[in-house]
Amino acid sequence: MTTDLTRLVETTRPRFRTATEFVEATLRAAILDGVLAAGAPLRQEELAAAFGVSRMPVREALRQLEATALVEFHPHRGAVVAEISAEDAADISAIRAAIEPQALRLSLPHLEKADFDRAAELIAEMDAEKDFGRMGELNRRLHMTLYARAGRPRLLTLVEQHLAAADRYLRFQFTALGYHPQSQDEHYALLGACRAGELEQACQLLTEHVLYAETRLTAFLRERETTAQD
Amino acid sequence: MTTDLTRLVETTRPRFRTATEFVEATLRAAILDGVLAAGAPLRQEELAAAFGVSRMPVREALRQLEATALVEFHPHRGAVVAEISAEDAADISAIRAAIEPQALRLSLPHLEKADFDRAAELIAEMDAEKDFGRMGELNRRLHMTLYARAGRPRLLTLVEQHLAAADRYLRFQFTALGYHPQSQDEHYALLGACRAGELEQACQLLTEHVLYAETRLTAFLRERETTAQD
DNA sequence: CCTTGTTAGATTGGATCCAATATCCGCGCA
DNA sequence: TGCGCGGATATTGGATCCAATCTAACAAGG
């Protein structure tokens, strides 16, 4: 683990103004990308060494990640990467199903042709992409492109966080089952409705898109959880 | 400010296992209750003295509050209590309007008579309550009572956070204009629909309830912002 | 008189050090 | 042989100390 992190460290370090910012962003990416597995203990000393800083920025970063449920603190026992479960996946999906249509509703009236074209590009890129990590990134950017003009920073931050959280789960599913192609059909349909300015239909499609993803994902996770008990 | 905090400190200290938890919870309450005004600088040394701890638990607490947008960090310049604005109020309302109906949708089928009775009690208490601080607390508990059986911890945490954030704004409005009685009518109607098991109607009423509150609030805030420029 | 450079003070960011608590292993005893 | 107790060790929580940087005041020059 240490070496995996060290590589990221040198490349991204100079972009941040404080060590805490740097550690926080890098740790978040590492957790979301699956570099740090669920349940893995996050020893402060170890991380500090990997990042080339002292324990303090690590502690502050961990605190911030705790607030977004990416790590769990156990007093005097340290922090661990948040576990994943079918229950939690359903939880995240319920949130996405609530806030993403809201974001789209507020954004769609202000979207312009350039935005739709950008979205179409991203979908096309996803068709060609093989790497699951890049795939998740593209998926997030596609969704965020459609919501970007909502003009509601808090809402968009929430959406981004939960897209990323969902992505953490999807990576799991993809590596086991491969990418689910139906999802791309849904993207095309969604973009079509958006381009046509069909607000209600677009929201409907989006809700179903999130719901389908949840159904596929939780089915996979539940099976995985039951077979794991053998 | 120091003295206001000191009073809270003694009464709540023993309930927490770590100083950071204690500082975080107390600071959050102080900000939401308006004890610490919007824009107020949060000097680490000052807070540390008020809480009777060193600067470190204060720093960790501030980091956690930053992640929930209650405080803003400016590198090397310190933290301030998040500002309030009509824009931000609308942002929070948009989030509430999205997630609260979702929570109700998931919870309502599992609510029992005892839950409805508890909610009715809370509404009645609100009719009698004069203090705006207690009023907000009761309002939050009422809403959460209706959502409690959703069985989605993340979603409920989000709802609770944004109810609290909205409450911070409502306190502003109430102290200037007094409590808006229409809100209570909406509560009674909502509870009625819930009791009758009318899921769709209840969600509709709830959405409108949040929306009305937003309309009243932003109108008040916008007026306040324009008159403040004289 | 206004602008700009410089410097002193205040305040945060980060590192190190000490104390408190949990875990783990071995020993004694039933 | 199994269970409980106690100390050693590792790790976190908290305090203190030092360095980096921002703010503000003041002086010099245009």
Side-chain angles (χ1 to χ4, degrees):
Chain A
M1 182 204 73
T2 298
T3 50
D4 289 331
L5 279 178
T6 338
R7 206 165 310 143
L8 280 177
V9 167
E10 267 111 56
T11 62
T12 53
R13 174 72 209 248
R15 279 195 280 140
F16 299 95
R17 284 170 303 184
T18 69
T20 301
E21 273 183 21
F22 161 64
V23 173
E24 195 253 329
T26 311
L27 263 185
R28 157 170 289 130
I31 294 172
L32 292 173
D33 290 355
V35 175
L36 293 171
L42 297 164
R43 305 246 159 278
Q44 298 177 0
E45 200 97 36
E46 195 176 342
L47 292 173
F51 284 111
V53 299
S54 84
R55 271 176 52 211
M56 165 136 345
V58 173
R59 280 164 63 173
E60 285 189 356
L62 288 174
R63 284 295 176 189
Q64 273 177 296
L65 295 175
E66 185 199 14
T68 51
L70 274 181
V71 314
E72 294 168 16
F73 264 82
H74 304 280
H76 295 277
R77 291 178 39 189
V80 298
V81 178
E83 292 285 357
I84 70 176
S85 69
E87 276 300 303
D88 190 46
D91 205 335
I92 292 168
S93 291
I95 294 170
R96 287 188 58 196
I99 61 181
E100 292 198 32
Q102 174 77 304
L104 182 61
R105 206 175 289 276
L106 293 167
S107 174
L108 187 52
H110 306 107
L111 285 178
E112 294 161 16
K113 182 163 185 311
D115 300 314
F116 297 129
D117 293 344
R118 182 89 201 91
E121 266 178 54
L122 287 166
I123 302 181
E125 275 187 67
M126 288 175 76
D127 273 330
E129 186 59 57
K130 299 292 174 199
D131 177 46
F132 297 132
R134 293 270 313 151
M135 181 74 97
E137 157 95 21
L138 291 172
N139 183 55
R140 293 201 301 261
R141 275 165 56 192
L142 163 62
H143 280 254
M144 291 311 293
T145 301
L146 294 178
Y147 313 145
R149 309 248 181 226
R152 293 276 177 267
R154 275 192 196 239
L155 177 61
L156 289 187
T157 303
L158 270 191
V159 170
E160 204 157 23
Q161 280 175 3
H162 290 87
L163 268 173
D167 192 42
R168 195 170 160 234
Y169 281 91
L170 289 178
R171 170 183 316 273
F172 244 77
Q173 190 185 3
F174 292 165
T175 41
L177 301 176
Y179 184 69
H180 205 293
Q182 188 188 332
S183 169
Q184 279 292 78
D185 298 340
E186 292 161 20
H187 284 155
Y188 279 114
L190 173 61
L191 179 57
C194 288
R195 269 211 153 102
E198 297 283 350
L199 181 57
E200 286 312 316
Q201 198 203 344
C203 288
Q204 180 69 23
L205 287 171
L206 177 56
T207 306
E208 287 168 6
H209 173 56
V210 174
L211 222 65
Y212 288 147
E214 176 190 359
T215 307
R216 293 192 289 265
L217 179 58
T218 51
F220 165 69
L221 287 172
R222 291 229 174 78
E223 175 156 359
R224 198 175 146 279
E225 281 174 10
T226 52
T227 56
Q229 290 174 352
D230 302 341
Chain B
M1 181 203 73
T2 299
T3 49
D4 290 330
L5 279 179
T6 339
R7 207 165 309 142
L8 282 177
V9 169
E10 266 112 54
T11 61
T12 53
R13 173 74 210 247
R15 280 196 279 141
F16 299 94
R17 285 170 301 182
T18 70
T20 301
E21 275 184 20
F22 160 64
V23 173
E24 196 254 328
T26 312
L27 263 185
R28 158 169 287 132
I31 294 172
L32 292 174
D33 290 356
V35 175
L36 294 172
L42 297 165
R43 306 249 158 275
Q44 299 176 1
E45 201 96 38
E46 196 176 343
L47 292 172
F51 284 111
V53 298
S54 85
R55 268 177 55 209
M56 166 135 344
V58 172
R59 280 164 63 173
E60 286 190 355
L62 288 175
R63 284 293 176 188
Q64 274 178 295
L65 295 176
E66 186 200 14
T68 51
L70 274 179
V71 315
E72 294 168 16
F73 264 81
H74 303 279
H76 296 279
R77 291 178 38 188
V80 298
V81 179
E83 292 286 356
I84 70 177
S85 70
E87 277 300 303
D88 190 47
D91 205 337
I92 292 168
S93 291
I95 295 170
R96 286 188 59 195
I99 61 181
E100 294 199 31
Q102 175 76 305
L104 183 61
R105 208 175 289 276
L106 293 167
S107 172
L108 188 52
H110 305 107
L111 286 177
E112 293 162 17
K113 183 163 185 311
D115 299 313
F116 297 128
D117 293 346
R118 182 87 201 92
E121 267 178 52
L122 287 166
I123 301 180
E125 274 186 68
M126 288 174 76
D127 274 329
E129 185 62 57
K130 298 292 174 200
D131 177 47
F132 297 132
R134 291 271 313 151
M135 182 73 96
E137 158 95 22
L138 291 172
N139 183 54
R140 293 200 304 259
R141 276 165 57 193
L142 164 62
H143 279 253
M144 291 310 293
T145 302
L146 295 178
Y147 313 145
R149 309 246 180 228
R152 293 275 177 266
R154 274 191 195 240
L155 177 61
L156 289 187
T157 302
L158 269 192
V159 169
E160 205 156 21
Q161 280 175 2
H162 289 87
L163 268 173
D167 192 43
R168 192 169 162 237
Y169 281 91
L170 289 178
R171 171 183 317 274
F172 243 75
Q173 189 185 5
F174 292 165
T175 40
L177 301 176
Y179 184 70
H180 204 293
Q182 187 188 333
S183 169
Q184 279 292 77
D185 297 340
E186 293 162 18
H187 284 156
Y188 279 114
L190 173 61
L191 179 56
C194 289
R195 270 212 153 100
E198 297 283 351
L199 181 56
E200 286 313 316
Q201 197 202 346
C203 288
Q204 180 67 25
L205 287 171
L206 178 55
T207 306
E208 287 169 6
H209 173 56
V210 174
L211 222 65
Y212 287 148
E214 176 190 358
T215 307
R216 292 193 289 265
L217 180 58
T218 51
F220 165 70
L221 287 173
R222 291 229 174 78
E223 175 154 0
R224 200 176 146 277
E225 280 172 12
T226 52
T227 56
Q229 288 173 350
D230 301 340

